[in-house]
Structures are given as structure tokens and as C-alpha cells.
Amino acid sequence: MISLKKQNDKIRDAVVGGYFAIENGVVSGYKKIETGAVSGYRKIEDAFLQNFVCGYGESIDDARKRISEPRDFLRRGRR
């Protein structure tokens, strides 16, 4: 007959193993959704920059850098 401690250890191992399997599934699912959402956002952002912000011959990365630079309006005489 199996001792009570060994039975409890088997149950514990099964429960912990099941928990980790569920946890890994949830985390990997979340990461896939997160990656898809960020990828979709980037596509929309790039399309907007290409159509409305980029100058002639300017790349999307250059436009992104240009609009993210802080501007000193007082130095340029604007108030």
C-alpha cells in the first residue's frame, strides 16, 4: 500500500503541473494578442505618417524622428 505522503506528493505534483500548463497557455496567448495589437497599431501609424506627415522623399523613420523632437517656439520668434 502506498503511504499517505507519497499519495499527497502525487496529487501535489499533478495539481502544480496542471497549474503551470494553464499559466503558460494564458501567458503565451496574451503575448500573441499583444504582438498582434502592437503590429496592427504600427501599420496604422506608418500609414498615417506616410500619407499625412512625410515630406517628399522623406522616410517614415525620418518623419517619426522629426515630429518627436522637442521644439523651441520662443527661439524661432513664435509665441
Side-chain angles (χ1 to χ4, degrees):
M1 188 184 242
I2 298 178
S3 72
L4 186 59
K5 181 175 179 352
K6 287 184 181 181
Q7 287 177 341
N8 286 337
D9 288 344
K10 281 180 148 183
I11 293 170
R12 182 199 64 215
D13 292 342
V15 169
V16 170
Y19 170 79
F20 282 125
I22 292 170
E23 181 183 28
N24 290 336
V26 169
V27 169
S28 68
Y30 172 80
K31 286 183 180 184
K32 287 178 184 177
I33 291 170
E34 180 183 38
T35 301
V38 170
S39 175
Y41 172 79
R42 289 285 183 188
K43 287 179 184 178
I44 293 169
E45 181 182 46
D46 289 347
F48 174 81
L49 288 172
Q50 183 69 40
N51 291 321
F52 297 108
V53 178
C54 287
Y56 182 73
E58 185 178 29
S59 72
I60 293 174
D61 290 330
D62 292 339
R64 187 176 282 125
K65 288 176 188 174
R66 180 173 49 85
I67 65 173
S68 66
E69 290 176 351
R71 296 186 180 199
D72 185 8
F73 289 106
L74 293 176
R75 186 185 61 168
R76 295 183 183 168
R78 298 179 188 148
R79 292 181 189 233

